[in-house]
Structures are given as C-alpha cells and as structure tokens.
C-alpha cells in the first residue's frame, strides 16, 4: 500500500509502473521486520550470503557481475537542456533522446520482479540541509544498501508532505548488459535514471547521482555547495573542536583521513579526531556568515582493500556489524571476509570476488581492488556528536589533494580564497580502480569533482568564486595536500594515515595565525620545523624534500593547465586566468 498521498509522488510512480511493469510494488517503510524479510529473501535467491553471525553479526556478502564493479564515467550523462550547460567535462545527451532511449531499455524490465519504492533523505530529516528522494529499484541489494547509506522510511514521506520538491530516481537492473548501461541525470527535472548496473556508485542513487551531480546544480541555483569532501573535527587538548572539509578524488584517502587515529604522542596530549563524513559535504553559509557543512549520507561505502587495524581501525571496526561486503574474498572455513591488506593471513580455503575457489598462492587477487563495505555511520567509534546536527559544523579549512608521485608538495596553503579556487581547479591525480578504465594515469580532476559536477565546470568555478565573495573574511582558508609522493623505487615517502594529523595540525595553526610559512611560487609552504615529528621515525631532511617546490616541475605543469583551461572558453572565470598569470610570473 502506498505510504503517501502526495500526488506528484503517486503519479510519477504510476507512470514508471506502466513503463517497467513490475509483478508487485513494495514500499520500504524502514521497519526492521520488513528489512529482515528482505534479507532472508535475498539469501534464499543467492543475491546475498549471510556471514558468520558470531564474528560478523548482521553482516552480508554480495558479488556484483564481473563486468560491473565500478562507476562507468564514459556511460554517465548530464542530460541538461543544452550541451553547453553540461560543459566540456561531462558527457551530454539531449533530454528527449535520452528519455526515449532509457524508456526503451527500461520498458517491461520489471516483469517477474518486484518494484521497491525507497523514500529517502539526504541530510537529517527535517533539517535545513535535507533534500528528499524516491528511488525505484528492482534490487533488494540496492534497498539494503540505501537503508545503510541514507535515512529511509515513512518519516521521510511525512517530512515531504505534499511538496513536489524531491528527486526522482529509477533504477533498473535489466540484464546488467554493459553495452546498454547508462547513468543519466536530468538536472532540470530532478530526475535520475540508472539502467543495466548493480554496482554501488551507479545504483545507490542518493550518493554520487543525487548528492553530487544533481545537488551541485541545485546548490549553484540556491547559493550553496555540494562537494566530494570528507568532514572531520580535530579536538585539541582544551576541548575545542575545529572542522576541516577535504576533497580528494575517488580512492585517494577521504575515508582514511576522516577516521584517522592520532599518533600516540598526539593522543597523549589529548588530541582527538571526530568523523562527520567520509565522502560528501553539503555546505551553506550560516547565520553567522561562516561556512557550515553537513554530511548528507548516513553510512560509509568504503574501499575495502588496504583497510586494516593499523591503517584505519575505525573503518574496520565500523564493518564488524550490520555491514554489507561487496566483491571481497570470502573465507569458507569460518564464513567471514578477507581482502588484500586486511592482514598477513589470507585464507587457504576461500572464494575470490568472482566466486571461484581461491588460493592466494597463485598470485591472483582475492578481492577486487574496488571492493567495498557498506557500513552504518553509527558503527564508527569516532563518529562526531554533530553527525545528526541540523546546523552542520563550521568549516575552518578546506583541503584539496590528490595522488601525485612528484610535483605537489606534502602541503601548501593558498594566498587567499580565489587562489584557493585556482589550486582546486588545477588538481591532478592518478586514476584509481573506483572507475573503469586505466589506473595510475595522471588526469586533471578539479576539486575531485570531474566525474561528479552536474553542470558546466566553468560555471562551477564561478560559483566557488561567488561563494568566497559572500563569505568575505569569514571564508575558510584553502590548502592542498599530497600524501602520495614517491621515492625513486616508487615507495610512498610520507607515512600517511594517522600521521597526517601532523599536517592537519599545521593547517589549523595557520587558520589561527599560529604558524609561520615560507612563500613560494605556488603558495605558502611550512618550515619543516613546524611540522611536529615527535614520536615518528622520519628524518627532517626527507620532510624538507617532500615540502620542496620544484619550479621546473611546476613550469612543466603550466602547459597542461593551459590546455585544460582552454576547454572552458569564455566560461573560464577571469579570476582564474589572473591566478594562472600570477603563477607563471612567480615561476619566472
Ligand atoms: P572513495 O570512497 O572512492 O571516494 O575513496 P576515498 O577517497 O575515501 O579513499 P580511501 O580512504 O578509501 O583510500 C583509498 C586507498 O588509499 C586505500 O587503499 C588506502 O589504504 C590508501 N590511503 C589512504 N590514505 C593514505 C595515506 O595517507 N597514505 C597512503 N600511502 N595511502 C593512503
Ligand atoms: C567514489 O568512487 O568516489 C566512491 C564510490 O565514493 S562510488 O559510490 O562508487 O562512487
Ligand atoms: Mn567518493
């Protein structure tokens, strides 16, 4: 039975029912009984496998199709009214043509299947940040993931009332045919279609599709920002908490930084880190004129490989109950999970992510490099007390970062907001397994939003500049970090993970005017002595090496930046052209 009388909801669902022709319709009310029944049903069909209840209570295992393990950027479209609105960095399709193509693919595809209607909220229900959505799906896996990743249930429909202001999402698994896989966004219609995929980022429509692509478009129109950023709080020994938002491309360390455990020396002094979000930040100017951020999600869809008790104990602990594991290896002896980098004891008797019997000694991987866990945020030992806050948290610093073997120093600060926007706009990073395609290729990924900006990137930069003008002297300070500098043998030089707090500390000191810096061609770099290395076996000369700004390497960057900027034509904000000129003249 329908859980709402909202006419816009009911008529849209009627339309989609007529199109996809489900055998039955089930409204997800958010109750534990209903979810338990769905879990049991998914286990009976093999869609899920229940894991060891003693060791991993309430946890399930899922495998996607082998051809469906990551986001598909080449098949992701922004179907804005005109190609110009989507801009040079997005794939575009004419909306009428796209609807026709998608309807043809979706038509009748729910025959013999159930339509699940998922009412969900991005942001705490009823808060000024909250935006509501309805996803229709034929996948129980999607329902159960959405229940972890967003706020789902009847109360969302109550909060929505009769409003027409909600995001429409239709997901059809179809045959998981990669030739007919499309992830399409219609910003003018608040609508998303996803067909022929079952992989997280393509089908959990609240996440990248809504909370970034559609929301970035809404944010520009409504005067706020939707960003691919973690949010964390650093508590100092006197109990004061300062918040940082940081944008790194996919699989470049957001979840890890968001949950970092302070090194012993910092712990001893009383430092703590609190996680507000690990992937997405929605930010608004508050009544006090500062920038306030909220994590619109309710769980973590995190990269499994590399997560262990040393690198990220908080993430690992978050996955020990109520979690869905996707495309990791399964230990058949005790029905638990394993992935590369979990520990040094790969199971002898296991199945790899594709489902074949697996013996690690043959040199193949047990888990897919983009295998993931879906864990409730409430499981995280360091979840912030502000997690459900209706006001969000005030942001002191914005940090950009990427994977760069050379060129980018460990950390530097922009001279001011507009220079910071420039720093974000020229971000470059090596590609990862989070999207299909080559891995390890350096590409420009402005603000880590290349695959996620729902409109013209030139307009997006202009929006950043406009936000800075509104924030004035209350604007957060903007920094850039790079944890991934490598030595001649390709090893990471900086220890990273918990020790990144040493860098965050300098960042916050700068925000409070407590630390010195050296002015370089690209911005302010710390004096090596001002990054506190106490308790760390790390040589100050090595630190100086990774803080160094090599003007020749930066000169070599210029042509790449110019080539990239040329794509934006007259949409490239004049402020950024000016910043590029300054950089060129600084480099001499
Ligand atoms: P998405 O969920 O795809 O947006 O990724 P993410 O940005 O949250 O990345 P995540 O924290 O999951 O890290 C991805 C990979 O980077 C993992 O293999 C981590 O082990 C590795 N990583 C994270 N932080 C660091 C670091 O400080 N140093 C090094 N060397 N590796 C890191
Ligand atoms: C990313 O790729 O940035 C992710 C995972 O956070 S996904 O949900 O697939 O987009
Ligand atoms: Mn992400």
């Amino acid at each position: 039975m329908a859980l709402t009388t909202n006419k816009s909801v009911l008529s849209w669902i009627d339309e989609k029912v007529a199109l996809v022709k489900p055998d039955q319709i089930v409204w997800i009310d958010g109750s534990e009984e209903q979810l338990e029944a769905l879990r049991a049903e998914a286990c009976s069909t093999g869609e899920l496998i229940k894991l060891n209840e003693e060791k991993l209570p309430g946890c399930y295992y899922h495998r996607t199709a082998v051809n469906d393990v990551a986001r598909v950027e080449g098949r992701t479209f922004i179907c804005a009214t005109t190609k110009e609105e989507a801009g040079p960095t997005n794939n575009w399709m004419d909306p009428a043509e796209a609807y026709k193509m998608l309807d043809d693919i979706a038509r009748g595809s729910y025959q013999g299947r159930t339509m699940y209607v998922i009412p969900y909220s991005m942001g705490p229900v009823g808060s000024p940040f909250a935006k509501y959505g309805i996803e229709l799906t034929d996948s129980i896996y999607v329902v159960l993931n959405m229940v972890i990743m967003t706020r789902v249930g009847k109360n969302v429909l109550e909060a929505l009332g009769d409003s027409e202001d909600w995001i429409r999402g239709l997901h059809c698994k179809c045959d998981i045919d990669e030739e007919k896989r499309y992830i399409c966004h219609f910003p003018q219609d608040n609508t998303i279609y996803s067909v022929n995929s079952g992989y997280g980022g393509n089908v959990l429509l609240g996440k990248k599709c809504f909370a970034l692509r559609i929301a970035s478009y809404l944010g520009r129109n409504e005067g706020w920002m939707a960003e691919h950023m973690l949010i964390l709080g650093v508590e100092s020994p006197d109990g004061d908490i300062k918040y940082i938002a940081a944008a790194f491309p996919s699989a470049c360390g957001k979840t890890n930084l968001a949950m970092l455990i302070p090194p012993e020396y910092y712990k001893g002094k009383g430092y703590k880190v609190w996680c507000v979000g690990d992937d997405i930040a929605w930010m608004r100017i508050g009544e006090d004129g500062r920038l306030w951020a909220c994590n619109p999600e309710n769980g973590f869809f995190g990269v499994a490989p590399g997560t262990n008790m040393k690198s990220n104990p908080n993430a690992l602990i978050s996955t020990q109950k109520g979690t869905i594991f996707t495309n990791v290896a399964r230990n058949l002896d005790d029905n638990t999970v394993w992935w590369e980098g979990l520990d040094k004891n790969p199971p002898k008797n296991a199945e790899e992510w594709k489902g074949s019997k697996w013996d690690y000694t043959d040199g193949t991987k047990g888990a897919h490099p983009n295998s993931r866990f879906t864990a409730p945020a409430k499981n995280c030992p360091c979840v912030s007390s502000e997690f459900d806050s209706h006001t969000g948290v005030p942001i002191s610093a914005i940090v950009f970062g990427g994977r760069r073997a050379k060129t980018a120093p460990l950390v530097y600060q922009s001279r001011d907001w507009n220079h910071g926007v420039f720093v974000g706009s020229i971000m470059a990073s090596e590609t990862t397994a989070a999207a299909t395609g080559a891995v390890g290729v350096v590409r420009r990924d402005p603000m880590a939003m290349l695959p996620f900006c729902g409109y013209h990137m030139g307009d997006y930069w202009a929006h950043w500049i406009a936000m800075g003008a509104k924030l004035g002297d209350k604007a957060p300070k903007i920094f850039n970090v790079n944890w991934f500098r490598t030595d001649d043998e390709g090893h990471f030089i900086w220890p990273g993970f918990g020790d990144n707090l040493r860098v965050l500390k300098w960042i916050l000191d700068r925000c409070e005017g407590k630390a010195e810096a050296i002015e370089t061609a690209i911005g302010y770099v710390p004096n090596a002595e001002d990054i506190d290395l106490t308790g760390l076996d790390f040589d100050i000369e090595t630190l100086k090496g990774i803080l160094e700004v090599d003007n020749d390497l930066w000169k070599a960057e210029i042509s790449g930046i110019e080539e990239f900027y040329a794509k934006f034509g007259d949409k490239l904000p004049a402020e950024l052209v000016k910043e590029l000129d300054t950089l060129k003249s600084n480099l001499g």
Side-chain angles (χ1 to χ4, degrees):
M1 212 189 62
L3 294 181
T4 179
T5 55
N6 182 313
K7 289 206 181 69
S8 64
V9 171
L10 296 178
S11 67
W12 183 76
I13 294 178
D14 281 349
E15 232 177 71
K16 298 308 151 209
V17 166
L19 175 72
V20 301
K21 300 202 166 43
D23 280 14
Q24 54 163 346
I25 302 169
V26 171
W27 288 69
I28 302 301
D29 59 18
S31 71
E32 196 43 43
E33 291 128 86
Q34 186 185 42
L35 297 176
E36 218 19 61
L38 289 173
R39 290 178 194 120
E41 187 182 336
C43 288
S44 76
T45 61
E47 186 177 356
L48 292 181
I49 295 173
K50 170 131 187 65
L51 293 166
N52 185 321
E53 180 62 22
E54 245 121 71
K55 295 189 173 169
L56 294 168
C59 292
Y60 292 83
Y61 177 82
H62 175 78
R63 274 194 290 267
T64 64
V66 175
N67 72 6
D68 188 29
V69 293
R71 285 181 293 99
V72 280
E73 297 183 358
R75 309 195 70 93
T76 298
F77 291 80
I78 301 297
C79 307
T81 319
T82 62
K83 185 169 170 32
E84 171 73 2
E85 282 166 275
T89 56
N90 281 312
N91 301 310
W92 176 81
M93 222 188 286
D94 173 73
E97 275 171 36
Y99 278 128
K100 180 168 182 317
M101 177 194 73
L102 293 164
D103 284 352
D104 287 346
I105 293 172
R107 187 163 295 113
S109 69
Y110 278 41
Q111 273 162 6
R113 302 183 187 186
T114 300
M115 172 184 281
Y116 300 97
V117 180
I118 314 171
Y120 66 96
S121 174
M122 300 313 291
V125 179
S127 75
F129 283 98
K131 298 246 172 215
Y132 307 122
I134 293 185
E135 175 165 356
L136 306 180
T137 181
D138 52 352
S139 156
I140 297 179
Y141 171 76
V142 167
V143 172
L144 297 174
N145 274 272
M146 284 294 283
V147 164
I148 298 172
M149 293 306 297
T150 74
R151 293 158 171 97
V152 166
K154 263 198 277 209
N155 61 331
V156 172
L157 292 166
E158 278 154 23
L160 179 64
D162 290 332
S163 169
E164 294 183 10
D165 185 11
W166 54 279
I167 306 300
R168 290 114 178 103
L170 174 65
H171 167 236
C172 308
K173 276 189 298 192
C174 303
D175 312 315
I176 314 290
D177 176 351
E178 53 191 322
E179 299 301 319
K180 290 188 185 155
R181 184 170 300 152
Y182 291 98
I183 321 299
C184 293
H185 307 72
F186 301 85
Q188 277 89 3
D189 301 342
N190 284 335
T191 297
I192 305 157
Y193 268 63
S194 165
V195 294
N196 277 298
S197 175
Y199 166 74
N202 298 331
V203 299
L204 308 178
L205 301 185
K207 197 175 178 57
K208 296 300 171 38
C209 299
F210 174 174
L212 289 178
R213 299 195 190 95
I214 297 284
S216 61
Y217 173 82
L218 295 175
R220 196 256 315 241
N221 294 342
E222 298 169 4
W224 53 281
M225 307 167 92
E227 300 297 334
H228 192 199
M229 291 180 177
L230 67 97
I231 309 164
L232 63 77
V234 178
E235 180 172 337
S236 45
D238 63 6
D240 182 43
I241 306 181
K242 290 273 187 294
Y243 294 92
I244 297 175
F248 310 153
S250 302
C252 290
K254 288 182 299 302
T255 303
N256 277 274
L257 191 67
M259 300 180 190
L260 82 73
I261 303 255
E264 285 306 322
Y265 161 72
Y266 278 85
K267 247 192 241 169
K269 286 173 103 180
Y271 283 93
K272 292 182 185 138
V273 168
W274 301 108
C275 173
V276 182
D278 81 323
D279 199 49
I280 298 178
W282 284 1
M283 303 194 285
R284 291 174 174 271
I285 300 179
E287 275 163 24
D288 62 359
R290 288 190 293 170
L291 191 63
W292 291 71
C294 162
N295 167 17
E297 301 192 278
N298 203 25
F300 310 119
F301 185 59
V303 178
T307 306
N308 59 54
M309 270 321 260
K310 195 163 169 288
S311 66
N312 194 347
N314 286 323
L316 194 62
I317 292 164
S318 303
T319 66
Q320 300 304 289
K321 58 181 182 197
T323 293
I324 301 173
F325 296 91
T326 303
N327 293 341
V328 299
R330 192 163 69 97
N331 182 338
L332 297 175
D333 283 336
D334 65 355
N335 194 24
T336 57
V337 288
W338 192 86
W339 51 76
E340 279 64 29
L342 173 63
D343 54 38
K344 297 211 164 65
N345 309 304
K348 261 315 270 161
N349 177 28
E351 270 172 6
E352 42 80 285
W353 66 274
K354 287 175 283 202
S356 304
K357 190 80 195 353
W358 177 68
D359 180 346
Y360 66 92
T361 56
D362 72 3
T364 61
K365 287 209 185 324
H368 186 274
N370 191 39
S371 55
R372 300 239 166 198
F373 53 79
T374 317
K378 290 284 140 46
N379 280 1
C380 181
C382 68
V383 69
S384 164
S385 60
E386 301 305 303
F387 187 81
D388 287 313
S389 162
H390 282 208
T391 55
V393 294
I395 297 299
S396 299
I398 289 175
V399 179
F400 295 120
R403 251 175 217 272
R404 290 301 296 270
K406 304 275 177 278
T407 316
L410 179 64
V411 58
Y412 69 102
Q413 181 185 1
S414 66
R415 288 181 296 272
D416 55 32
W417 179 274
N418 283 356
H419 179 226
V421 177
F422 172 76
V423 169
S425 79
I426 64 163
M427 260 170 76
S429 192
E430 293 155 23
T431 51
T432 65
T436 53
V439 167
V441 182
V442 175
R443 72 167 183 186
R444 299 273 153 208
D445 188 350
M447 282 81 172
M449 283 289 277
L450 183 71
F452 307 120
C453 182
Y455 60 104
H456 197 298
M457 185 73 74
D459 290 333
Y460 166 82
W461 290 331
H463 179 47
W464 263 84
I465 288 165
M467 289 295 291
K470 276 192 225 162
L471 286 158
D473 60 5
K474 296 205 169 111
K477 303 277 185 281
I478 302 180
F479 299 79
N480 193 89
V481 299
N482 178 20
W483 316 136
F484 299 95
R485 282 275 282 257
T486 53
D487 62 19
D488 294 339
E489 275 105 56
H491 300 122
F492 295 121
I493 300 172
W494 176 247
F497 301 99
D499 289 307
N500 292 334
L501 182 60
R502 300 171 192 274
V503 174
L504 297 187
K505 180 72 175 53
W506 180 79
I507 286 175
L508 290 173
D509 283 349
R510 285 294 291 170
C511 292
E512 290 172 61
K514 290 200 292 209
E516 297 293 313
I518 306 163
E519 186 157 8
T520 73
I522 62 168
Y524 301 110
V525 172
N527 287 304
E529 294 73 19
D530 288 339
I531 304 266
D532 191 343
L533 296 177
T534 313
L536 180 66
D537 184 16
F538 194 79
D539 180 71
I540 190 143
E541 292 307 318
T542 314
L543 178 60
K544 283 182 185 158
I546 55 175
L547 286 173
E548 202 172 30
V549 176
D550 182 330
N551 281 6
D552 288 334
L553 284 180
W554 278 93
K555 274 185 203 160
E557 282 284 291
I558 297 286
S559 60
I561 298 170
E562 283 175 332
E563 196 184 314
F564 184 58
Y565 269 9
K567 290 187 184 179
F568 301 92
D570 59 6
K571 289 264 194 190
L572 180 68
E575 290 84 349
L576 298 186
V577 178
K578 199 170 141 226
E579 293 297 338
L580 178 57
D581 287 343
T582 307
L583 176 62
K584 279 200 266 187
S585 75
N586 286 353
L587 289 169

